[in-house]
Amino acid sequence: AALVLDEIVDAAGTAHAARLDAALARALLAAVAPQQILSVALGHFQRLRQWRIRLDAGDDARSILAAARPKPHFSRTSDLERQIRTWSDPALAIATARIYSAIAESRRAPLLAQPILHRTMLAICRMAAEN
């Protein structure tokens, strides 16, 4: 399940809608709760924001990831480097706010959690494409 969660956030963060859709379907078939997926997405975009701040301060993406704890799996390095460079801090702030809102909305309406998850992650994927 952890691998598919990484795949979801990386697909959304790199604007790969088809990959995102497939990963979401696999996670939901494996009975991963929509709120868990949203929570992982929130943590991912919060970390991206911290890393982006370091990039703006002059660090390079590779050294940022090398110093990250816990260290991301090597297979994600190129996707994460691309996300650090692509996303601006204001865009990351908007993405995290969307995820916060989706978490709250899915808690108020648990029967709509899956559509809320899909809508939110696809919106973030679209944001990545526009950055």
Side-chain angles (χ1 to χ4, degrees):
L3 293 176
V4 76
L5 293 174
D6 288 343
E7 196 173 330
I8 289 168
V9 295
D10 288 341
T14 56
H16 286 97
R19 222 172 86 200
L20 171 63
D21 211 31
L24 281 171
R26 277 195 313 282
L28 294 170
L29 279 173
V32 179
Q35 288 85 359
Q36 181 182 0
I37 297 169
L38 288 167
S39 178
V40 167
L42 179 62
H44 174 76
F45 283 92
Q46 287 173 330
R47 275 187 304 283
L48 271 182
R49 193 165 184 205
Q50 293 169 349
W51 294 340
R52 180 59 202 216
I53 290 167
R54 289 189 51 202
L55 184 76
D56 290 342
D59 290 346
D60 68 272
R62 188 161 296 196
S63 66
I64 291 168
L65 291 176
R69 297 292 175 254
K71 191 171 177 115
H73 193 268
F74 72 91
S75 64
R76 299 181 65 208
T77 303
S78 64
D79 279 346
L80 290 172
E81 285 180 14
R82 187 174 326 125
Q83 290 174 69
I84 293 168
R85 286 190 206 99
T86 301
W87 285 85
S88 67
D89 184 53
L92 288 166
I94 292 168
T96 56
R98 277 190 179 186
I99 298 168
Y100 271 123
S101 177
I103 290 170
E105 189 178 354
S106 68
R107 287 180 181 161
R108 283 190 305 273
L111 295 177
L112 298 175
Q114 283 189 19
I116 292 166
L117 167 68
H118 277 94
R119 179 190 68 209
T120 302
M121 297 309 294
L122 285 172
I124 289 171
C125 188
R126 194 175 92 221
M127 285 178 68
E130 294 169 355
N131 280 327

